Amino acid sequence: MKPLESLFDIYAVYIQHPVISKWIIVALCISLFLNTYLFNITKQQPKVIVQKVIERVETPIQKKEKPHLHKQVSIAPQKPVSRKSHAYPRSDIIRPLEEVISLLSTPEVLTDEEIISVVQSGKMASYALEKVLGDFERAVNIRRALISRDSLTKTLEASLLPFKNYHYDKVMGACCENVIGYMPIPVGVAGPLNIDGDLIHIPMATTEGCLVASAARGCKAINAGGGATTIVTADGMTRGPCVEFPNITLAADCKRWIEQEGQEIVTEAFNSTSRFARVRKLKIALAGRLMFIRFSTTTGDAMGMNMISKGCEKALSKISEYYPDMQIVSLSGNYCTDKKPAAINWIEGRGKSVVSEAVIPGPVVEKVLKTTVDALVELNISKNLVGSAMAGSVGGFNAHAANILTAIYIATGQDPAQNVESSNCITLMKAINNGKDLHISCTMPSIEVGTIGGGTILPPQQAMLDFIGVRGPHPTEPGTNARRLARVICASVMAGELSLCAALAAGHLVQAHMAHNRNTAAASTAAPVHASIIEASTPPATPVEKENPIPGSCIKS
């Protein structure tokens, strides 16, 4: 009790002091004011931070292991990490909008419906879901619900389009935006095909029945003749900028300068932008005051459009130092030409220019392909050469090169839109060895492929590149993997050409499609199943065959 009594005695002395008592009252007032102010600031800070995230969405939110409602959340430019195993709350009760917004710094405490309410109120853009939530799969699921409820049919949210267990961390910022799921496509395999001495299986992503089976039959015939031989005759991705001058005289002078003394200057400027991009050829054309410069360059194992575009910008900047009156109209002036039919790609080439050939013995033509050498040669001339010429085709002197090429493109992560120029192909067939055997070749001057970048960063597509043996950059010789992939594609196209032309020559095309390109799952189970139907439903490498086929041509058939 004595310490307590002493404390009261001291208090009595100071509280009665005329000066000290006043200072004590002032200190208590200041303390009360500061505590009230700091409490209000602490209460409002999370809302301010969340509002900045919503409005600007510049950087993802760095989350603490144990988030606190009234604790300031730091914002740092780090990539969000998907937490697929996190169990998010579920409730039929949606909290008020202001409360939900205040909790966006800790989205794991919010239900999906509460996040949907924030987007629907206009306080957050749907494209920012991944950055704000930090969970890619959850963001995709919520976006599906938002789009579905705002659509005409309102079917997306409960649709069969899958979205779970995908590599969205590879997709975001690289392959696609506003993602709502992914599209599974069947992947079949043809072969193995003997290409330059190596037995290589051909992965093909397609929904066209008979395509893989037909290619497999072509592989069988080519292998029986010793395999396919391929060569790469040129390697150069192109970009064709368009620039404009005040008059044609200045445009012509610039053209002359680039082709002569300025060529080394322009080439050096272009090459300085990359370790792999190297100018191989410059082709220049005038159209009035407009000038088009077609840069043809190597790009290592990348398809190379981004790489070459960067180089073109630098080269044009250097040219403008010598011709300040030059105006850049477009970095791509359609003189490339990318994803459009163009004779310049067919004549000059773009990407990898590849030729493949094979010799098919006459007995193999009759036994495997069910036709004759003469019938195949006749059909190829009439259909692929004369027929395409009558149609005014550019690069389309083939049966279905785009079919095989696009299926491999989708399976290996290439740009499917580039099948327009990449499937340029002329198929030639000739009877050799006194007409006994068949020589076939496919010439494809503009195959645009890469084994790094673009869709090749996705794990399933990388798996198919691994399957072929060309994944990623070549460790010692840049460009070797991409050229190898182009060789595989050209040889595979040749297998597809051989099989389809044989089916047409023998009159088996419709018969094969009726047997293998019809899904009989919906047929009545009560109907008796004949043994021949069971045999036909098995996916062979050849169409339905008769014991004694009658070799013939499309004309005789």
Side-chain angles (χ1 to χ4, degrees):
M1 293 296 294
K2 289 184 179 181
L4 188 60
E5 291 176 358
S6 299
L7 183 63
F8 277 113
D9 290 340
I10 295 172
Y11 173 76
V13 172
Y14 283 107
I15 203 64
Q16 294 176 4
H17 195 282
V19 178
I20 295 178
S21 61
K22 293 179 180 179
W23 278 108
I24 292 175
I25 294 173
V26 171
L28 288 173
C29 291
I30 292 174
S31 176
L32 180 62
F33 173 77
L34 286 176
N35 278 293
T36 303
Y37 174 76
L38 292 174
F39 177 78
N40 289 333
I41 289 296
T42 305
K43 185 177 180 181
Q44 294 297 326
Q45 269 186 329
K47 293 185 178 180
V48 174
I49 293 171
V50 171
Q51 189 64 26
K52 289 181 179 179
V53 173
I54 295 172
E55 292 176 354
R56 302 181 64 183
V57 198
E58 290 180 346
T59 53
I61 299 173
Q62 183 180 5
K63 304 203 171 43
K64 305 293 184 179
E65 292 182 1
K66 295 181 179 180
H68 192 276
L69 180 61
H70 298 296
K71 191 172 183 179
Q72 181 174 348
V73 180
S74 60
I75 300 177
Q78 86 176 43
K79 192 173 183 179
V81 179
S82 181
R83 301 183 303 275
K84 297 180 182 178
S85 60
H86 193 102
Y88 297 105
R90 293 184 178 182
S91 175
D92 295 333
I93 301 174
I94 300 178
R95 285 170 280 197
L97 182 61
E98 290 300 322
E99 183 180 353
V100 173
I101 292 176
S102 70
L103 294 173
L104 273 179
S105 59
T106 55
E108 58 268 18
V109 304
L110 297 174
T111 66
D112 289 354
E113 291 298 329
E114 287 174 332
I115 297 173
I116 289 172
S117 69
V118 176
V119 179
Q120 289 178 333
S121 68
K123 298 295 184 181
M124 180 170 64
S126 63
Y127 64 79
L129 285 167
E130 283 81 6
K131 290 184 178 180
V132 175
L133 301 181
D135 187 326
F136 295 145
E137 188 172 293
R138 188 187 189 193
V140 171
N141 188 31
I142 291 174
R143 184 179 294 112
R144 287 162 64 101
L146 284 163
I147 294 175
S148 181
R149 297 174 194 184
D150 193 43
S151 66
L152 181 64
T153 59
K154 305 187 187 308
T155 60
L156 178 61
E157 188 172 4
S159 70
L160 295 179
L161 179 71
F163 72 93
K164 293 183 178 180
N165 303 319
Y166 194 67
H167 305 276
Y168 293 114
D169 57 323
K170 303 289 186 181
V171 174
M172 301 303 172
C175 297
C176 189
E177 300 77 40
N178 286 336
V179 179
I180 58 173
Y182 57 93
M183 184 61 67
I185 300 177
V187 179
V189 61
L193 175 59
N194 185 343
I195 304 175
D196 301 319
D198 297 325
L199 288 175
I200 299 176
H201 288 86
I202 315 300
M204 300 170 63
T206 180
T207 56
E208 179 180 341
C210 276
L211 183 62
V212 176
S214 178
R217 183 174 76 150
C219 292
K220 181 179 179 181
I222 292 174
N223 289 343
T229 302
T230 66
I231 58 168
V232 177
T233 60
D235 182 0
M237 180 51 67
T238 64
R239 176 62 89 195
C242 174
V243 297
E244 187 175 19
F245 294 88
N247 52 66
I248 61 173
T249 303
L250 196 58
D253 185 69
C254 183
K255 178 178 182 295
R256 180 204 57 78
W257 178 79
I258 296 175
E259 291 174 339
Q260 297 178 16
E261 64 267 25
Q263 183 169 357
E264 185 176 348
I265 298 172
V266 174
T267 299
E268 183 179 352
F270 186 102
N271 293 348
S272 67
T273 62
S274 171
R275 292 181 300 152
F276 305 105
R278 294 293 180 266
V279 173
R280 290 292 180 261
K281 184 179 180 181
L282 294 173
K283 183 178 179 63
I284 307 166
L286 297 183
R289 298 184 303 169
L290 299 175
M291 184 175 75
F292 298 85
I293 313 169
R294 191 174 192 257
F295 292 82
S296 180
T297 78
T298 57
T299 55
D301 284 303
M303 187 272 288
M305 287 309 302
N306 293 334
M307 185 188 303
I308 193 172
S309 295
K310 182 180 178 182
C312 286
E313 284 186 333
K314 181 76 174 193
L316 293 178
S317 175
K318 179 61 69 173
I319 295 173
S320 65
E321 294 178 9
Y322 292 83
Y323 292 88
D325 292 332
M326 181 187 76
Q327 298 293 322
I328 300 175
V329 177
S330 176
L331 185 63
S332 175
N334 277 9
Y335 195 53
C336 316
T337 296
D338 189 40
K339 302 175 183 175
K340 292 168 283 292
I344 195 168
N345 292 336
W346 175 240
I347 298 170
E348 296 285 337
R350 189 171 196 252
K352 278 64 176 171
S353 300
V354 189
V355 183
S356 63
E357 71 171 354
V359 174
I360 317 299
V364 174
V365 173
E366 295 185 6
K367 182 178 180 180
V368 177
L369 302 177
K370 310 305 178 186
T371 185
T372 64
V373 172
D374 289 339
L376 275 172
V377 172
E378 177 189 2
L379 178 131
N380 187 69
I381 294 173
S382 301
K383 169 184 168 62
N384 291 341
L385 303 184
V386 178
S388 296
M390 291 293 292
S393 178
V394 176
F397 299 93
N398 58 82
H400 69 151
N403 242 345
I404 308 296
L405 178 137
T406 306
I408 300 176
Y409 266 31
I410 296 173
T412 59
Q414 310 305 310
D415 188 341
Q418 288 185 322
N419 79 84
V420 175
E421 64 269 31
S422 295
S423 58
N424 282 339
C425 174
I426 181 169
T427 300
L428 298 176
M429 297 185 191
K430 186 176 182 179
I432 60 173
N433 299 331
N434 297 321
K436 296 180 181 179
D437 303 325
L438 176 73
H439 179 274
I440 179 173
S441 68
C442 286
T443 303
M444 304 182 72
S446 50
I447 300 178
E448 300 158 354
V449 291
T451 56
I452 57 175
T456 66
I457 69 172
L458 300 175
Q461 285 79 349
Q462 286 183 341
M464 293 299 95
L465 291 172
D466 263 333
F467 186 44
I468 300 174
V470 294
R471 175 184 172 184
H474 193 276
T476 58
E477 300 177 14
T480 299
N481 280 352
R483 287 191 291 270
R484 181 61 173 163
L485 179 58
R487 288 171 178 255
V488 170
I489 290 172
C490 189
S492 303
V493 165
M494 183 169 65
E497 292 287 283
L498 182 63
S499 184
L500 176 57
C501 288
L504 289 169
H508 289 162
L509 179 66
V510 175
Q511 186 180 4
H513 273 269
M514 291 302 294
H516 306 309
N517 199 15
R518 291 293 181 270
N519 187 350
T520 58
S524 174
T525 57
V529 181
H530 194 271
S532 62
I533 298 178
I534 297 176
E535 182 181 356
S537 64
T538 304
T542 62
V544 178
E545 303 169 359
K546 297 179 181 179
E547 292 183 1
N548 298 310
I550 302 175
S553 69
C554 58
I555 299 174
K556 295 176 182 178
S557 298

